[in-house]
Amino acid sequence: MKYYLEVQFTLSGPLPDESKEEIEELLKLFAEKTQESRDKGEFEFTQWNTKDNKLDITISSIDSLTPHVAVLRLRKQLAATLGKKYRVGLRGFNFVKYTIETELEDKPVKEFSLPLVNKLEFFEKEGKNYAKLDIDPEIEEDFVEKGAIERIVRRVGEKISKQHYGAKSEHHQISWYSGEKKHFTDENPTQLMQKANWIQRTNYRNQWILTPTLTTLAEALKQIMVDYVYEPLGFNQMMIPKLVDWSIWLRSEHAEGIYQGGFEPYFVVQPNSADPEYFEEIADYITITKTIPSEKLAEKVSAPIGGLSYAQCPPFWSWLQGKTVAKESLPIKVYDWSGPTYRYESGSAYGFERVDELHRIETLFIGSPEQTKEIGMQVKDKLRVIFEEVLDLEVREAKVTPWWLQQSAHEDEMDSAEDLVVGTIDYEAYMPYRGKREESEWLEIQNISIIGQKYPKGFSVKAEGNIELWSGCGGGSFERFLTAFVSQKGLDKNNWSEKFLKYIDKLPEPVKFH
Amino acid sequence: MKYYLEVQFTLSGPLPDESKEEIEELLKLFAEKTQESRDKGEFEFTQWNTKDNKLDITISSIDSLTPHVAVLRLRKQLAATLGKKYRVGLRGFNFVKYTIETELEDKPVKEFSLPLVNKLEFFEKEGKNYAKLDIDPEIEEDFVEKGAIERIVRRVGEKISKQHYGAKSEHHQISWYSGEKKHFTDENPTQLMQKANWIQRTNYRNQWILTPTLTTLAEALKQIMVDYVYEPLGFNQMMIPKLVDWSIWLRSEHAEGIYQGGFEPYFVVQPNSADPEYFEEIADYITITKTIPSEKLAEKVSAPIGGLSYAQCPPFWSWLQGKTVAKESLPIKVYDWSGPTYRYESGSAYGFERVDELHRIETLFIGSPEQTKEIGMQVKDKLRVIFEEVLDLEVREAKVTPWWLQQSAHEDEMDSAEDLVVGTIDYEAYMPYRGKREESEWLEIQNISIIGQKYPKGFSVKAEGNIELWSGCGGGSFERFLTAFVSQKGLDKNNWSEKFLKYIDKLPEPVKFH
């Protein structure tokens, strides 16, 4: 890595001549110490001068301390030296020119640009590939302090890698199979349920009415989850917030992947003002025309403040954020089904297994690595009992590594052995209407993941006595559970398992229409 | 009401001279018939002429048929006459000038404007007040067809009346009181629950973490509702959609009152495109800077497509919309708690009784007027048992008429006698920390309303055999139930009623923080 930085410090006034020797000395010492503390690389203040209330310094560095980090450290040292002795304050700094050359693993497939980078060039030298970045001199000091330069450089490599390999494909390995089960239909389950008036599309994209008939089945499944998983394992129910502001998605790192595959949120906006007068014209217009003046309305609302709950887990963490959990309260085990989650499914209309508004049960646990792993295994085993024994479904378990784990898990935490360490297990159900077992796509109906330190770190959660904190979670939607179930067992209760029927007192008659 | 309209019809070609007598005749007959069918008023085609492919007609009307309705009828008659005989088609019409003078009950407090009205003047004549409206000639034909002119005129009176009297004050009459009950605290319940770690504010405005401890109490209340109301009265649970598009709020008439007091929704927006490339720059920016580029993001999202569920009931109706319900399926009785509802509470931070994200139980019933009234009374009685006997709360019932009923209920349906006909009953709880019973504000914790034909009409729902359809509904939030409960009974289980405690197996210990 080769860096060249021209930085200008702004001072509260001109520097007296007698200070110059001192600055010369300070820079010399700084460069020497930097050089000493590293085995290799070169670090140099190539020149400096001061005029009026400005102090200009040029830094060049090869495989050594990055110049912007040097600037941050220098700022402190200069402020101390100049302030005490000469009563000259340091106002701040700005970059005049900052270029970075970094070696690349791969040549880019096509050129691209990056925020806060004015120019991004690619070149080859001696068979190696390089990128040369001109950092935008307008970059804010606080961005530099918070690591933006490092992330810019890393992003170059990530984007090239994505150009070559696309989004990393999920690693997928079957780890268990229930064996063949009897199925009673090979029809499309969405159509079956629609014809029976169990579900009905609304006017809105991929949203459904869950009638009392279907809701009764969903409630039965909830109770099964309670009796088989949550009660025996000591989980408590809680109601996790469902409107998620950006501060949450920044900490959970969802925001970084916005609409990049894997995070497709609906956004929420607020009125710019809640004053009735501010909306009076719009109210008048709607009353008179019975239509919505979309453009005028759009002018009266904010930029997105966040969005609708996408997975239940991130907003849970605002509870523990910045806190130190008492040892006696660990492990924390909760589940939530207090409201729908949303994902924007682009393209045409889908079946009941792929909806924009979905009703998930979230299972969430936090503790030491050992506690977390143990609970994860227990939940996994209980889920197996529910799917195979209670519902009598043909399902399989698959070990996968989803994008959000690949993105942030540390390699040493990743699953390598037999047991789930950090990683995900998906439950997938056979869908007879889609064709043969071997060739057709099975439906993912539930996952259970051990996520390691990602969330506790992202939300700055600690535990008493410096216990390392891990978390795990799992989710499954009623929509998918029931699509899979109906796909194999159909609508006729006579073909349903005894253990499931025990949870259904009475299936409400669908409302009839003429 | 005095009208003057100059309208211009556009024809597919010029009219032959021989047609003119026929048009003259048609207009004469039209005016005569109009005059005959009315006791009073004057209706006149003051002049007409045709040139090229235009046909201009001037209409004046005093307390008679409105000119725009005349135009709509005339259009048909002219099209029939001219089309058949002269092969001249009628393309459409536009207003050249349309003025309306209407008498007012009150003088406006201050001038105002209205959409689709170019000029709105107020004047006095012989001691009476009038408004003179110049309708915007650009008004769309379909708006005219769908009654926009009538609603413009009505809106003038409504706005003046609101200027004088404000939003109509709720009629409020205590109809029952539990009598004094023992209370065990006079502290602020929000603060009590916060200090005990039962609830915790999130970083987002008026949003709370409902911990396992609090959720256990909420679940107990749910089960009490099931055992005391829903099971005995034959209600079925269902999961009503929670993302509400404009078509719903237009039919429920919520949209007309947008931010006018009583309907303060959060809005939802979609991405303009779900293509990863479309969002790549934003994803890069967030990854590098760890901040959200709000303005850039705002450019990439749609106008509001609707919003978050405000009351649960409106989106329920998309299930029945346009359908004819079989007699055997009536009455329909459902309840819903499948997700939070939202209201934008402007101003500063509030307590747990006034939140932006709230968890309501909705009770909804539909049937003949008799069925609806009967169920309403039954639910009311059961709720009384829950609040007074099970929870041992000091509560009262108050008959009120909320804005959305005043707005649209027919007068002949309105409550006048002892029984609830069309109207609302609120349950209000005494809050000791707010002061004396007589002087302090009680907390509304639940309502039950009979709404008459409003929703079935708004959503075009019919019943077999032309049975008149009414609906009723009621809602209450866990947040308010528990705020009221803790306000009177405090946090110590020893002071809670036996009947409530029966529903709490074990209250989870709050998580402890260091």
Side-chain angles (χ1 to χ4, degrees):
Chain A
M1 299 263 267
K2 220 164 126 186
Y3 303 88
Y4 175 84
L5 171 65
E6 293 172 21
V7 65
Q8 181 169 72
F9 288 96
T10 300
L11 313 169
S12 61
L15 281 172
D17 277 352
E18 61 266 34
S19 69
K20 293 185 181 167
E21 208 166 308
E22 222 150 338
I23 295 175
E24 183 71 39
E25 188 57 27
L26 190 154
L27 294 180
K28 207 181 131 209
L29 212 69
F30 188 106
E32 277 174 17
K33 277 197 174 168
T34 303
Q35 204 67 38
E36 274 171 27
S37 69
R38 315 212 155 210
D39 298 343
K40 59 187 187 84
E42 292 167 31
F43 181 91
E44 198 183 352
F45 295 104
T46 45
Q47 72 179 74
W48 74 274
N49 59 67
T50 179
K51 197 186 159 193
D52 301 333
N53 65 334
K54 303 289 182 188
L55 170 64
D56 292 284
I57 303 180
T58 305
I59 307 172
S60 120
S61 160
I62 300 174
D63 296 334
S64 181
L65 182 67
T66 53
H68 63 275
V69 171
V71 164
L72 296 174
R73 291 188 196 163
L74 217 45
R75 184 174 55 174
K76 269 193 199 166
Q77 299 181 12
L78 283 168
T81 305
L82 305 178
K84 223 179 293 172
K85 200 153 169 192
Y86 305 103
R87 302 272 156 207
V88 174
L90 222 73
R91 293 264 184 269
F93 65 82
N94 65 285
F95 293 170
V96 179
K97 185 176 170 59
Y98 193 7
T99 62
I100 301 174
E101 276 182 35
T102 177
E103 196 185 328
L104 304 170
E105 287 190 24
D106 290 295
K107 206 170 162 171
V109 177
K110 62 173 184 173
E111 307 235 323
F112 54 89
S113 61
L114 271 182
L116 302 177
V117 178
N118 280 357
K119 210 163 123 191
L120 179 54
E121 293 173 312
F122 301 97
F123 62 94
E124 269 187 68
K125 213 167 63 184
E126 297 165 7
K128 288 179 176 171
N129 287 295
Y130 294 89
K132 184 176 170 193
L133 297 83
D134 277 13
I135 303 294
D136 185 348
E138 304 278 320
I139 189 168
E140 301 288 342
E141 264 187 59
D142 67 324
F143 283 178
V144 176
E145 287 165 7
K146 286 175 192 152
I149 303 284
E150 287 77 2
R151 288 192 295 267
I152 287 171
V153 174
R154 200 184 317 137
R155 194 71 171 170
V156 174
E158 285 168 4
K159 288 177 80 90
I160 293 170
S161 152
K162 204 173 159 192
Q163 285 182 350
H164 281 277
Y165 309 104
K168 280 179 206 162
S169 57
E170 274 194 347
H171 164 85
H172 185 281
Q173 179 200 338
I174 311 291
S175 52
W176 175 81
Y177 172 42
S178 66
E180 290 195 11
K181 298 267 184 175
K182 194 168 175 192
H183 59 259
F184 297 88
T185 176
D186 52 10
E187 288 191 68
N188 179 323
T190 299
Q191 288 169 13
L192 282 175
M193 290 189 280
Q194 264 180 304
K195 278 182 206 151
N197 278 356
W198 288 15
I199 56 173
Q200 181 187 301
R201 270 187 203 284
T202 72
N203 298 321
Y204 187 69
R205 66 200 308 283
N206 297 313
Q207 186 190 51
W208 296 79
I209 294 282
L210 279 63
T211 66
T213 315
L214 193 92
T215 302
T216 299
L217 299 178
E219 282 294 315
L221 289 170
K222 271 186 194 177
Q223 200 52 49
I224 289 169
M225 291 289 280
V226 171
D227 290 353
Y228 283 80
V229 183
Y230 301 131
E231 283 286 346
L233 298 183
F235 277 73
N236 287 311
Q237 188 177 352
M238 77 176 280
M239 293 156 97
I240 297 176
K242 293 285 174 287
L243 195 166
V244 185
D245 69 290
W246 286 120
S247 73
I248 303 286
W249 279 338
L250 281 169
R251 286 179 177 272
S252 73
E253 295 178 354
H254 278 80
E256 301 182 7
I258 189 168
Y259 278 94
Q260 298 305 295
F263 178 55
E264 281 73 39
Y266 274 88
F267 302 106
V268 171
V269 301
Q270 292 175 348
N272 290 333
S273 158
D275 185 348
E277 267 190 38
Y278 186 69
F279 276 97
E280 191 171 345
E281 191 191 345
I282 287 188
D284 287 341
Y285 186 90
I286 295 173
T287 306
I288 288 169
T289 66
K290 301 270 180 188
T291 59
I292 304 295
S294 293
E295 278 175 39
K296 276 197 181 157
L297 184 59
E299 289 166 13
K300 290 187 181 288
V301 300
S302 70
I305 54 152
L308 296 174
S309 183
Y310 187 81
Q312 276 123 304
C313 150
F316 161 88
W317 289 91
S318 68
W319 182 23
L320 307 184
Q321 188 183 321
K323 296 209 172 73
T324 301
V325 181
K327 197 176 165 187
E328 61 179 297
S329 293
L330 291 177
I332 295 173
K333 297 186 251 184
V334 297
Y335 58 98
D336 169 88
W337 55 51
S338 67
T341 54
Y342 294 85
R343 46 193 62 193
Y344 186 83
E345 294 280 7
S346 63
S348 57
Y350 298 103
F352 195 60
E353 79 287 354
R354 195 168 166 187
V355 297
D356 275 36
E357 181 178 78
L358 57 151
H359 298 83
R360 289 170 90 253
I361 295 187
E362 177 83 8
T363 309
L364 189 57
F365 41 100
I366 297 135
S368 69
E370 296 68 34
Q371 287 173 331
T372 309
K373 283 183 270 185
E374 190 191 344
I375 299 164
M377 286 304 103
Q378 287 169 338
V379 172
K380 182 192 69 127
D381 292 341
K382 299 287 188 187
L383 287 170
R384 201 185 275 184
V385 171
I386 290 180
F387 294 134
E388 196 198 11
E389 288 181 27
V390 183
L391 300 178
D392 190 38
L393 285 180
E394 183 167 341
V395 287
R396 66 189 183 198
E397 286 173 15
K399 290 192 182 190
V400 297
T401 312
W403 65 272
W404 46 270
L405 263 181
Q406 294 176 336
Q407 202 176 44
S408 59
H410 299 261
E411 282 208 3
D412 56 347
E413 294 173 354
M414 295 286 287
D415 177 16
S416 56
E418 268 291 276
D419 279 351
L420 182 69
V421 182
V422 165
T424 285
I425 282 174
D426 278 349
Y427 279 89
E428 301 171 343
Y430 174 47
M431 306 280 276
Y433 83 102
R434 288 184 178 172
K436 287 186 186 162
R437 288 179 175 80
E438 305 73 34
E439 294 153 15
S440 67
E441 196 189 346
W442 292 37
L443 183 69
E444 187 197 322
I445 55 173
Q446 169 85 38
N447 78 293
I448 181 83
S449 302
I450 306 287
I451 317 181
Q453 302 182 56
K454 176 181 165 70
Y455 281 98
K457 280 203 169 165
F459 287 84
S460 311
V461 185
K462 294 202 160 59
E464 183 187 357
N466 260 328
I467 300 169
E468 185 178 324
L469 274 188
W470 278 28
S471 78
C473 67
S477 76
F478 294 124
E479 282 84 355
R480 292 206 164 183
F481 291 161
L482 289 169
T483 304
F485 183 81
V486 169
S487 166
Q488 293 185 22
K489 306 298 178 189
L491 301 183
D492 185 350
K493 280 167 66 174
N494 295 318
N495 297 327
W496 299 355
S497 78
E498 279 302 318
K499 284 186 180 164
F500 184 40
L501 286 175
K502 253 182 54 189
Y503 282 86
I504 305 164
D505 279 346
K506 196 179 131 262
L507 201 57
E509 273 295 310
V511 166
K512 291 198 177 64
F513 299 113
H514 274 273
Chain B
M1 297 267 267
K2 223 164 122 184
Y3 304 87
Y4 174 83
L5 170 63
E6 292 173 21
V7 64
Q8 181 170 70
F9 288 97
T10 300
L11 313 169
S12 62
L15 281 172
D17 278 349
E18 61 267 35
S19 70
K20 291 183 182 169
E21 209 167 311
E22 221 150 338
I23 293 175
E24 183 73 38
E25 189 58 29
L26 189 154
L27 294 181
K28 207 180 132 211
L29 211 68
F30 188 103
E32 277 174 14
K33 277 199 173 168
T34 301
Q35 205 66 36
E36 273 172 27
S37 69
R38 314 215 155 205
D39 297 344
K40 60 189 188 82
E42 292 167 30
F43 182 91
E44 198 183 350
F45 293 104
T46 46
Q47 72 179 74
W48 73 275
N49 61 67
T50 180
K51 197 184 159 194
D52 301 333
N53 64 336
K54 302 291 181 188
L55 170 63
D56 292 284
I57 302 181
T58 305
I59 308 174
S60 122
S61 160
I62 299 175
D63 297 332
S64 181
L65 182 67
T66 54
H68 63 273
V69 172
V71 165
L72 295 173
R73 292 190 195 159
L74 216 49
R75 183 175 57 176
K76 269 195 200 163
Q77 298 182 13
L78 283 167
T81 306
L82 305 178
K84 223 180 289 166
K85 200 151 168 195
Y86 304 103
R87 301 271 156 212
V88 174
L90 221 71
R91 293 266 185 265
F93 65 83
N94 64 285
F95 294 168
V96 179
K97 186 176 170 57
Y98 194 7
T99 62
I100 302 176
E101 275 181 35
T102 176
E103 197 187 327
L104 303 171
E105 287 190 27
D106 290 296
K107 206 170 161 171
V109 176
K110 60 173 188 173
E111 307 237 320
F112 55 87
S113 60
L114 272 181
L116 303 178
V117 177
N118 278 358
K119 207 163 125 192
L120 178 52
E121 292 172 312
F122 301 98
F123 63 93
E124 267 188 71
K125 213 167 61 183
E126 299 164 6
K128 287 180 175 171
N129 288 295
Y130 294 89
K132 185 176 169 191
L133 297 83
D134 277 14
I135 303 292
D136 185 349
E138 303 278 319
I139 190 169
E140 301 287 341
E141 263 188 60
D142 66 326
F143 283 177
V144 175
E145 287 165 7
K146 286 176 192 153
I149 304 285
E150 287 77 2
R151 288 193 296 267
I152 287 172
V153 174
R154 200 184 317 137
R155 194 71 172 168
V156 174
E158 284 168 4
K159 286 176 83 88
I160 293 170
S161 152
K162 204 174 159 194
Q163 286 182 349
H164 281 278
Y165 310 106
K168 280 178 205 163
S169 58
E170 274 195 351
H171 164 82
H172 185 282
Q173 181 200 337
I174 310 292
S175 53
W176 175 81
Y177 172 43
S178 66
E180 290 194 10
K181 298 266 185 177
K182 195 169 174 192
H183 59 259
F184 297 88
T185 176
D186 52 10
E187 287 191 67
N188 179 322
T190 299
Q191 288 168 13
L192 282 175
M193 290 189 280
Q194 264 181 303
K195 279 181 206 153
N197 278 354
W198 287 17
I199 56 174
Q200 181 187 299
R201 272 189 202 284
T202 71
N203 298 321
Y204 187 68
R205 65 198 311 281
N206 298 313
Q207 187 190 51
W208 296 79
I209 294 283
L210 279 63
T211 65
T213 315
L214 194 93
T215 301
T216 299
L217 298 179
E219 282 294 314
L221 288 169
K222 272 186 193 175
Q223 200 52 49
I224 289 169
M225 291 287 282
V226 171
D227 288 354
Y228 282 80
V229 182
Y230 301 132
E231 282 287 345
L233 298 183
F235 277 73
N236 286 312
Q237 188 177 350
M238 78 176 279
M239 292 155 98
I240 297 176
K242 293 285 175 284
L243 195 167
V244 185
D245 70 290
W246 286 120
S247 74
I248 304 286
W249 280 337
L250 281 168
R251 285 179 178 270
S252 72
E253 296 179 356
H254 277 81
E256 301 182 7
I258 188 169
Y259 278 93
Q260 297 305 292
F263 178 55
E264 281 73 40
Y266 274 87
F267 302 108
V268 172
V269 303
Q270 291 174 348
N272 291 333
S273 158
D275 185 348
E277 266 190 39
Y278 186 68
F279 276 95
E280 191 172 345
E281 192 192 346
I282 287 188
D284 287 341
Y285 185 90
I286 296 173
T287 305
I288 288 169
T289 67
K290 302 271 180 187
T291 60
I292 304 295
S294 293
E295 280 175 37
K296 276 197 181 158
L297 183 59
E299 289 166 14
K300 291 186 181 289
V301 300
S302 70
I305 55 152
L308 296 175
S309 182
Y310 186 81
Q312 278 123 304
C313 149
F316 161 88
W317 289 91
S318 69
W319 182 22
L320 307 183
Q321 188 183 322
K323 297 209 171 71
T324 300
V325 181
K327 196 176 165 187
E328 61 178 297
S329 293
L330 291 177
I332 296 173
K333 297 185 255 187
V334 297
Y335 58 98
D336 169 86
W337 56 49
S338 67
T341 55
Y342 294 85
R343 47 194 61 194
Y344 184 82
E345 295 279 6
S346 64
S348 57
Y350 298 105
F352 196 58
E353 78 286 354
R354 194 167 167 190
V355 296
D356 275 36
E357 181 179 80
L358 56 153
H359 298 84
R360 289 169 91 257
I361 296 188
E362 177 85 7
T363 310
L364 190 56
F365 41 99
I366 297 136
S368 68
E370 295 69 35
Q371 288 173 330
T372 309
K373 283 183 273 184
E374 191 191 344
I375 299 164
M377 288 303 106
Q378 288 169 338
V379 171
K380 182 191 68 119
D381 292 341
K382 299 286 188 188
L383 287 169
R384 201 184 275 184
V385 172
I386 290 179
F387 294 133
E388 196 198 11
E389 288 181 28
V390 182
L391 300 178
D392 190 37
L393 285 180
E394 183 168 341
V395 287
R396 66 189 185 199
E397 285 173 17
K399 289 192 179 186
V400 297
T401 314
W403 66 270
W404 45 269
L405 263 181
Q406 293 176 339
Q407 201 177 44
S408 59
H410 298 262
E411 283 207 3
D412 58 344
E413 293 174 355
M414 296 285 287
D415 177 15
S416 55
E418 269 292 273
D419 280 352
L420 182 72
V421 182
V422 165
T424 286
I425 282 174
D426 277 350
Y427 280 91
E428 301 170 343
Y430 174 48
M431 306 280 275
Y433 82 103
R434 288 184 178 172
K436 288 184 183 162
R437 290 180 173 81
E438 305 73 34
E439 294 154 14
S440 66
E441 198 191 343
W442 292 37
L443 184 69
E444 187 197 320
I445 55 173
Q446 170 84 39
N447 78 294
I448 181 83
S449 302
I450 306 288
I451 318 183
Q453 302 180 56
K454 177 182 165 69
Y455 280 98
K457 280 201 168 165
F459 287 84
S460 310
V461 185
K462 293 203 161 58
E464 182 186 357
N466 259 329
I467 301 170
E468 185 178 325
L469 274 188
W470 278 28
S471 79
C473 66
S477 75
F478 296 124
E479 282 84 356
R480 292 206 163 186
F481 292 161
L482 290 169
T483 304
F485 183 80
V486 169
S487 165
Q488 293 184 21
K489 306 298 178 189
L491 301 182
D492 184 352
K493 280 169 67 174
N494 295 316
N495 298 326
W496 299 356
S497 77
E498 279 301 318
K499 283 186 180 165
F500 184 40
L501 286 175
K502 254 181 56 188
Y503 283 87
I504 305 164
D505 279 347
K506 195 180 132 264
L507 201 55
E509 272 295 310
V511 167
K512 291 198 178 64
F513 299 113
H514 275 273

